[in-house]
Amino acid sequence: MKYTVKELYLYPIKSLAGIRVASAKAEEMGFENDRRWMLIDDENQFITQRNHPILSQFYPEINGDKISINYHDKKHEFSINETLDEPLFSKVWDDETKVLEVNKPTSKWFSEALGFECKLVKIANNGDRKHSSTKLNTTLNVSLADGYPYLLIGSESLNFLNEKLEEKITIERFRPNIVVSSLIAHEEDSFGKFQIGKVKFKNAKPCGRCIMVNNDPKNGIVKKEPLNTLSIYRKVDKSILFGTNIIGLNEGEISVGDALIF
């Protein structure tokens, strides 16, 4: 079977809605502009949909060198390259992360929209956040994603799950970067090294999923599915697996329709 790229997604701001794109530039930390920003609270702790499901209702767009955010009838825009000078120190899980606040008006806009004090911050440089992968026995330069630069999901994995669900769901629920056509559910777990376009990738490990996948991105309402159903047939040790984490071995452009070469 010929595996091809079906969909590509960017998530500029951690835990906000994603953007479906036709092509993306692969970099060591992940796709260009993917999870380079995140929200932090007044104690510099990162903010996610796990505790604030409403974040799924904030929709980013990238237009040239600007990012705009739409939330209900509110809209805000800031520059991709804009930051204040003073470094802040936060964490993504156990990883220390150096970040810079974008600007005061942007932080104020998010604080007012969410109803609590927060800041929008950006990871400025490759290497400002390092993640130790015990699975790969190496240290990775990662964006503000949970642990790995990319998440890949095979189309048949979702089809197989939807056969078991009363209320069907879309792939957006799992926040992939790369969706590929597949023949067998979860065969992506066993992918090794492969190439898309001129970019070489390496499989790191299947992705353990959390309560976030139960948040319906259409309305920000958390339900019991799909984790309940996935736990029946995708639980390994204490993790419920769906999709696989991968790393890029070089930089380059990849596009929808590109073939995977093994």
Side-chain angles (χ1 to χ4, degrees):
M1 175 190 170
K2 185 181 180 184
Y3 299 87
T4 58
V5 175
K6 287 187 68 178
E7 298 167 58
L8 295 169
Y9 292 90
L10 302 179
Y11 308 89
I13 302 175
K14 184 178 183 67
S15 256
L16 271 57
I19 305 171
R20 189 172 173 178
V21 295
S23 61
K25 184 186 177 189
E27 300 177 339
E28 182 185 11
M29 286 202 297
F31 285 141
E32 182 181 28
N33 293 324
D34 182 63
R35 282 167 287 207
R36 300 302 199 266
W37 294 265
M38 70 178 179
L39 291 163
I40 59 173
D41 63 18
D42 54 4
E43 295 181 343
N44 288 0
Q45 301 296 306
F46 76 101
I47 295 167
T48 79
Q49 281 185 42
R50 293 170 185 86
N51 298 317
H52 302 282
I54 197 69
L55 290 176
S56 66
Q57 305 306 291
F58 287 75
Y59 296 93
E61 294 176 10
I62 299 177
N63 301 298
D65 64 350
K66 302 279 189 185
I67 293 182
S68 61
I69 311 292
N70 289 283
Y71 173 63
H72 298 322
D73 59 347
K74 301 179 176 73
K75 185 169 183 175
H76 183 77
E77 187 177 74
F78 60 92
S79 168
I80 281 177
N81 299 313
E82 187 176 4
T83 60
L84 302 179
D85 292 334
E86 185 183 350
L88 301 169
F89 293 90
S90 181
K91 278 187 171 184
V92 176
W93 302 115
D94 294 330
D95 304 334
E96 295 269 350
T97 308
K98 186 171 82 170
V99 291
L100 300 165
E101 187 174 5
V102 169
N103 62 43
K104 298 298 182 186
T106 297
S107 295
K108 184 171 184 275
W109 185 84
F110 275 105
S111 298
E112 289 175 352
L114 288 166
F116 60 86
E117 207 63 35
C118 61
K119 295 186 179 92
L120 184 70
V121 297
K122 182 183 184 184
I123 186 168
N125 302 300
N126 194 9
D128 283 348
R129 185 251 176 134
K130 296 185 181 296
H131 175 70
S132 294
S133 167
T134 50
K135 185 73 175 176
L136 296 176
N137 193 27
T138 190
T139 299
L140 306 170
N141 291 323
V142 186
S143 66
L144 301 170
D146 273 0
Y148 289 87
Y150 300 93
L151 176 70
L152 180 143
I153 297 176
S155 58
E156 198 52 37
S157 302
L158 179 66
N159 293 340
F160 189 70
L161 170 61
N162 269 331
E163 287 171 8
K164 304 174 188 305
L165 295 176
E166 283 185 28
E167 192 177 331
K168 310 306 179 195
I169 62 174
T170 64
I171 201 72
E172 283 88 349
R173 190 70 71 100
F174 296 99
R175 301 174 68 81
N177 293 111
I178 304 170
V179 182
V180 301
S181 58
S182 62
L183 194 61
I184 302 166
H186 306 294
E187 60 183 313
E188 61 270 21
D189 290 3
S190 58
F191 285 179
K193 288 185 178 178
F194 57 94
Q195 189 167 327
I196 303 173
K198 294 183 178 178
V199 185
K200 294 177 180 176
F201 293 95
K202 179 181 179 179
N203 196 3
K205 69 174 190 64
C207 183
R209 310 313 299 237
C210 70
I211 192 69
M212 252 178 81
V213 302
N214 283 353
N215 185 17
D216 186 342
K218 292 193 290 290
N219 52 33
I221 295 171
V222 180
K223 302 179 181 178
K224 292 184 177 180
E225 295 290 4
L227 275 187
N228 267 9
T229 296
L230 283 171
S231 67
I232 297 167
Y233 70 101
R234 289 294 292 168
K235 194 165 188 178
V236 178
D237 298 325
K238 293 180 180 179
S239 291
I240 298 171
L241 306 178
F242 198 95
T244 196
N245 295 300
I246 62 174
I247 61 172
L249 303 178
N250 63 302
E251 296 192 351
E253 194 94 3
I254 74 170
S255 300
V256 170
D258 285 350
L260 277 70
I261 301 162
F262 291 89

